[in-house]
Amino acid sequence: MCGIIGYVGTKEVVPVLMDGLRKLEYRGYDSAGITVLNRNKLILHRCAGKLMNLEQELQKFLIRGKIGLGHTRWATHGKPTRENAHPHTDCKGNFVVVHNGIIENYLTLRKKLIKEGHKFQSDTDTEVIAHLIEKYFKGNLFKATQRALKDLKGSYALGVISTIDPGKIVAARHGSPLIVGMGEKEYFIASDVSAILAYTKEVISLEDGETAILDFKGVKFFNSYAKKIHKSSRIIKWNVLMAEKSGYKHFMLKEICEQTEVVRDTLRGRICLEKGGVFLEEEISWGKKEIDEIGKIFIVACGTSYHSGLIGKYVLEDLVKIPCEVDIASEFRYRSPLVKKNDLVIVVTQSGETADTLAALREAKKKGVKTLAICNVIDSSITRECDCVLYTRCGPEIGVASTKAFMGQLIILYLLSLYLAKIKESFSPIKAKEIISALFELPLKIEETIKMQDIIHDYAQRFFKKSDFLYLGRNVNYPIALEGALKLKEIAYIHAEGYAAGEMKHGPIALIDENMPVLVIANQGKVYDKILSNIKEVKARDGIVIVLASKGDRKIHKEVEDVFYLPKTMEILTPVLNVIPLQFLAYYIAVKRGCDVDQPRNLAKSVTVE
């Protein structure tokens, strides 16, 4: 959740650190700081609040140096104050640490260190690491850090520098993501590739228990036993422009509008209309026998990814005819799920680093089941630990409220369902070909939907002052009602609830009055008449009804004045189009209310701590 950037090389370090921190702002943070090592002296600056506060402070000083660390903090232990901002130091200011993660036994360590005479300046769990390194230091920063790590319980990604053993950064990882960037006579650590893409695309991911030493000559890697190891690098295909706004006011708006290309890119090379099939053999290593043996599918995810998983359940059960269960990762990992050896666990995640999803995956693997990841970030922790991976091809998603990553996940779940159905011969090939043909048509229909955003903007103008919203959907679009409500909560700070429309009479109907906008997803299909009945029930109680409907539906306009007409597609694919106007609605309402769309309060892009 926090952001780390570290640099050692030939450039002046402050501009590199600040540029990296700006690129990491999207992860969510409430304070920031940097430290620079210059002539064996540590220069430290920290500020609460936004990065501009730190930038204004740094303008007062001329800070020179070629090695340093930067950090954006999202508070877990201690309030978001200057004292609790990273980096943190030991008693004498000889060792400086930046840290992502949570040290679970920090209170025990802190009390012990205080008894030994150490004086603490913050309320954070991180500061104990600096004092432990001070305690164990005997002339070698790497060895002192390794020894300190043995005392820690919890998760961490660390960067450490010292005045006593200068000229190097020691980095370590356990449970929180950390990468090393390999430049031309310059080397980086970062929690996210976006922080260093302007300088290098060659990166190496640290695994749990691994450490690294970065100095002016290069990088050395070590395993958990402090034995030197060789690690191969990979080249990041994203470019800097992909992570820029490109003229859009906000990243979220840009990413909603990029969904046409997301669908094209995610489909590319995976379906062929002429050959009438979905081809995932290069990505899924299981043969027909292993797929036929799958007894049950578990989908595990958090937040928006959980909603895509709910849609996946409908599609998988419909096409593949295998029972499917969807779990919130934080519940799955603690509830002793009845997973059997021939079951399949699918983990869905944008970042591949979500702490609860990663822990749930590891619990599943202990039971010996097949595991598959649906993920956007290549070589992330979850993708390295799963048996198979299906990548969404979304490029970097910067806005905290996920939009295009959700779209990529939906497309992958459709492709996976069609592929498994083909292998198991559980679905009519003629019907499958119809769906594949409709998938091919989706990019143009998404583009058409995006072009109608002005209509949604008008709705936002009318309803942005409302304090409560209700979203209703049925069948495959019930999860879209959940997702629409979540988006409004995330970025506009408005209370919103998503419900299966058939559940309205079991409670939510009591909320409806003349002040309650009710968003109803009413595409033509097998539950269309049922949805019309729900609409009449809302109108009978003077609720404000806004409907998403299919083009050519003349019946709906007799019931409701405010109708947003979407291009027609197969009922099973309607979630792909329905989610777009709901994303726009949340966006425009948030803008109208003056909210920070890309960095909503209290939220982080990647939840890498429990």
Side-chain angles (χ1 to χ4, degrees):
M1 297 172 76
C2 310
I4 287 176
I5 176 73
Y7 176 82
V8 54
T10 57
K11 294 182 175 70
E12 284 296 328
V13 69
V14 173
V16 177
L17 296 179
M18 294 306 295
D19 182 55
L21 293 181
R22 279 189 288 271
K23 297 295 194 303
L24 293 170
E25 281 189 287
Y26 78 97
R27 292 170 67 93
Y29 70 104
D30 47 47
S31 58
I34 66 167
T35 186
V36 175
L37 184 60
N38 185 9
R39 295 181 181 178
N40 297 354
K41 290 185 179 181
L42 284 170
I43 304 162
L44 180 65
H45 290 275
R46 303 178 297 183
C47 286
K50 292 297 184 182
L51 202 56
M52 67 178 68
N53 298 339
L54 180 61
E55 291 173 329
Q56 289 170 1
E57 179 171 316
L58 293 177
Q59 288 174 2
K60 303 172 187 176
F61 304 93
L62 178 62
I63 304 172
R64 306 297 296 272
K66 309 290 185 180
I67 180 170
L69 299 168
H71 191 274
T72 51
R73 175 180 185 253
W74 192 87
T76 54
H77 296 76
K79 294 181 179 180
T81 62
R82 178 189 290 264
E83 291 75 22
N84 288 332
H86 294 219
H88 288 287
T89 68
D90 65 308
C91 297
K92 297 178 181 178
N94 291 325
F95 305 96
V96 180
V97 176
V98 292
H99 163 231
N100 289 353
I102 292 178
I103 306 305
E104 296 170 1
N105 62 334
Y106 88 101
L107 274 177
T108 302
L109 294 171
R110 182 185 176 105
K111 289 176 182 177
K112 184 178 179 181
L113 288 163
I114 289 173
K115 283 185 179 180
E116 294 171 0
H118 292 264
K119 299 192 182 301
F120 283 75
Q121 305 298 320
S122 77
D123 301 317
T124 69
D125 56 335
T126 299
E127 194 181 346
V128 300
I129 304 170
H131 290 283
L132 285 171
I133 294 171
E134 177 189 26
K135 173 181 176 179
Y136 294 124
F137 184 77
K138 291 182 173 63
N140 186 300
L141 180 62
F142 172 71
K143 290 182 179 179
T145 303
Q146 283 273 16
R147 178 62 188 85
L149 296 180
K150 292 180 181 179
D151 290 349
L152 304 181
K153 293 180 181 179
S155 61
Y156 54 78
L158 299 178
V160 187
I161 59 177
S162 171
T163 60
I164 309 175
D165 190 8
K168 62 172 68 76
I169 298 172
V170 175
R173 177 247 164 96
H174 179 77
S176 287
L178 194 65
I179 60 170
V180 174
M182 311 292 286
E184 192 69 36
K185 295 183 180 180
E186 57 184 5
Y187 309 95
F188 308 80
I189 61 169
S191 48
D192 191 315
V193 294
S194 61
I196 61 174
L197 275 180
Y199 305 97
T200 182
K201 294 184 180 181
E202 184 181 358
V203 302
I204 297 172
S205 298
L206 289 183
E207 302 289 350
D208 280 356
E210 292 181 349
T211 51
I213 302 174
L214 295 73
D215 59 27
F216 293 97
K217 295 180 181 179
V219 185
K220 297 174 185 175
F221 297 94
F222 302 85
N223 63 18
S224 57
Y225 301 102
K227 300 294 183 183
K228 192 175 179 181
I229 57 174
H230 171 76
K231 290 182 70 67
S232 299
S233 64
R234 60 188 173 93
I235 303 300
I236 300 296
K237 295 181 180 179
W238 295 350
N239 58 50
V240 178
L241 290 176
M242 291 174 74
E244 298 295 343
K245 291 181 185 174
S246 304
Y248 288 90
K249 185 175 181 180
H250 297 98
F251 281 113
M252 183 179 178
L253 180 59
K254 172 177 178 276
E255 288 157 6
I256 295 172
C257 295
E258 286 176 339
Q259 290 178 117
T260 303
E261 289 306 311
V262 165
V263 173
R264 285 198 180 106
D265 289 343
T266 302
L267 290 174
R268 188 173 290 119
R270 288 165 162 160
I271 59 175
C272 181
L273 190 57
E274 289 75 19
K275 295 181 180 179
V278 175
F279 302 94
L280 301 176
E281 287 84 355
E282 292 184 6
E283 298 164 275
I284 295 178
S285 58
W286 306 307
K288 178 173 173 54
K289 182 176 182 296
E290 291 171 293
I291 291 173
D292 283 340
E293 288 175 347
I294 295 173
K296 189 174 183 180
I297 296 173
F298 291 79
I299 300 177
V300 182
C302 300
T304 286
S305 297
Y306 171 71
H307 295 157
S308 71
L310 288 172
I311 294 169
K313 169 185 168 68
Y314 284 98
V315 180
L316 283 161
E317 290 188 342
D318 187 12
L319 304 189
V320 190
K321 314 302 182 190
I322 296 178
C324 184
E325 186 173 309
V326 188
D327 269 275
I328 295 169
S330 57
E331 294 296 317
F332 181 89
R333 65 182 289 196
Y334 290 120
R335 74 170 180 85
S336 300
L338 299 177
V339 180
K340 298 179 181 178
K341 190 173 182 180
N342 286 332
D343 292 339
L344 168 63
V345 172
I346 301 172
V347 290
V348 187
T349 166
Q350 189 282 137
S351 68
E353 303 290 352
T354 307
D356 284 319
T357 309
L358 183 57
L361 168 64
R362 288 170 177 167
E363 286 299 313
K365 287 179 73 68
K366 288 178 185 177
K367 299 178 184 291
V369 302
K370 299 177 184 68
T371 58
L372 182 147
I374 295 174
C375 186
N376 189 43
V377 180
I378 295 172
D379 205 35
S380 54
S381 296
I382 283 173
T383 64
R384 295 198 299 274
E385 295 190 25
C386 274
D387 300 329
C388 300
V389 182
L390 291 172
Y391 284 109
T392 56
R393 298 164 181 167
C394 302
E397 186 178 66
I398 306 300
V400 167
S402 181
T403 52
K404 67 176 182 176
F406 176 77
M407 181 66 72
Q409 291 165 0
L410 288 188
I411 298 303
I412 286 291
L413 284 162
Y414 287 120
L415 292 177
L416 175 62
S417 301
L418 287 164
Y419 178 74
L420 295 178
K422 180 180 76 170
I423 300 298
K424 289 181 64 65
E425 300 176 345
S426 60
F427 191 67
S428 160
I430 296 173
K431 197 70 175 176
K433 197 168 183 177
E434 286 180 29
I435 298 174
I436 291 167
S437 179
L439 281 170
F440 266 111
E441 295 171 357
L442 277 179
L444 288 177
K445 293 182 178 184
I446 291 170
E447 192 171 337
E448 183 182 343
T449 305
I450 290 170
K451 287 178 179 177
M452 295 188 289
Q453 62 181 283
D454 286 348
I455 300 172
I456 300 298
H457 180 267
D458 291 342
Y459 289 144
Q461 292 272 52
R462 288 167 56 191
F463 300 123
F464 76 95
K465 290 184 179 179
K466 298 294 183 182
S467 58
D468 302 278
F469 280 73
L470 185 63
Y471 290 71
L472 300 177
R474 279 182 179 263
N475 196 259
V476 75
N477 280 301
Y478 159 51
I480 294 299
L482 295 175
E483 176 61 11
L486 177 62
K487 283 293 156 282
L488 197 64
K489 286 182 277 195
E490 282 181 312
I491 63 169
Y493 317 145
I494 292 176
H495 172 250
E497 296 290 344
Y499 269 90
E503 282 290 290
M504 186 177 64
K505 291 190 287 291
H506 297 275
I509 198 166
L511 297 171
I512 296 172
D513 60 18
E514 67 278 3
N515 295 312
M516 170 75 83
V518 181
L519 277 292
V520 185
I521 302 169
N523 305 100
Q524 290 172 315
K526 57 187 176 184
V527 293
Y528 178 71
D529 289 336
K530 300 294 183 183
I531 282 284
L532 287 183
S533 295
N534 296 134
I535 290 171
K536 290 176 181 177
E537 290 165 351
V538 174
K539 288 185 68 64
R541 288 150 183 87
D542 297 322
I544 305 164
V545 181
I546 307 161
V547 173
L548 303 185
S550 305
K551 276 190 176 179
D553 182 357
R554 297 179 181 178
K555 195 173 181 180
I556 196 73
H557 202 68
K558 296 176 183 177
E559 304 291 339
V560 184
E561 291 183 8
D562 291 315
V563 182
F564 183 86
Y565 290 102
L566 292 143
K568 291 191 74 170
T569 187
M570 296 184 70
E571 184 178 11
I572 199 171
L573 299 179
T574 53
V576 172
L577 299 179
N578 286 329
V579 74
I580 296 169
L582 300 186
Q583 291 169 345
F584 276 128
L585 183 67
Y587 170 78
Y588 283 119
I589 287 178
V591 170
K592 192 69 180 173
R593 290 167 69 94
C595 301
D596 191 341
V597 173
D598 288 332
Q599 298 171 43
R601 68 189 183 202
N602 303 332
L603 295 179
K605 181 60 180 173
S606 180
V607 185
T608 57
V609 296
E610 193 176 349

